[in-house]
Amino acid sequence: MRLNDVKPQKGSKKRKKRVARGISAGQGASAGLGMRGQKSRSGSGTRPGFEGGQQPLYRRLPKLKGFPIVNQKIYTTINVEKLASLPANTEVTLTSLKAAGILTAVKGPLKVLGNGELSIPLKVQAAAFTGSARSKIEAAGGSCEVL
């Protein structure tokens, strides 16, 4: 076998389509682009992402900082350090904290956070507890009840 014997595989080479070269060429007249409209005109069509003047997807989606949480739960939060001022064995609820003046505004169900220290036993009733808050309340001899 010599270099002059080397030929491409049968069917691997295909002629380029000769568009807009008359009727007999097969792609004459409109060059396969259809009759009329923006995409049949010379020059480029539309840029990628163009939706015909409608607000495009990349502008409809929210930017930066991620997407908002749909139906986000809003809690009234309180730290364990605020509960330390209550007397021992007190039953702590949202209404009792409001009555004691520890909470001023109620935005939703009570959630206890674990910032600070607690040395007295309390019976805390709340909608949610963080892991550190639960461990600190139970270490002080209190109890946590999820409502």
Side-chain angles (χ1 to χ4, degrees):
M1 187 163 100
R2 298 183 186 87
L3 278 175
N4 61 335
D5 295 335
V6 177
K7 284 191 223 168
Q9 192 91 20
K10 184 94 173 147
S12 68
K13 290 287 185 181
K14 204 171 174 188
R15 282 183 59 192
K16 192 175 139 217
K17 192 187 283 185
R18 296 185 73 232
V19 293
R21 294 293 182 271
I23 297 299
S24 62
Q27 294 287 334
S30 58
L33 295 174
M35 298 290 278
R36 287 187 288 272
Q38 188 172 18
K39 289 188 230 159
S40 71
R41 309 291 185 208
S42 64
S44 62
T46 57
R47 69 179 182 276
F50 184 69
E51 295 183 29
Q54 173 180 300
Q55 192 73 282
L57 181 68
Y58 71 88
R59 290 189 60 197
R60 286 197 301 261
L61 295 177
K63 304 296 185 295
L64 306 171
K65 305 286 181 183
F67 292 88
I69 300 168
V70 179
N71 300 327
Q72 183 177 12
K73 284 187 182 175
I74 297 172
Y75 290 105
T76 303
T77 57
I78 188 163
N79 278 304
V80 171
E81 63 189 358
K82 297 274 187 181
L83 303 177
S85 62
L86 294 168
N89 296 320
T90 309
E91 206 164 278
V92 179
T93 60
L94 192 59
T95 51
S96 68
L97 289 171
K98 186 103 164 90
I102 294 172
L103 286 178
T104 54
V106 176
K107 298 180 187 113
L110 183 65
K111 183 173 184 176
V112 183
L113 308 177
N115 190 24
E117 295 300 319
L118 186 68
S119 56
I120 52 165
L122 296 170
K123 294 177 191 131
V124 185
Q125 296 176 342
F129 295 88
T130 60
S132 59
R134 184 182 289 275
S135 63
K136 286 177 183 179
I137 292 167
E138 288 170 354
S143 62
C144 298
E145 187 185 331
V146 178
L147 298 175

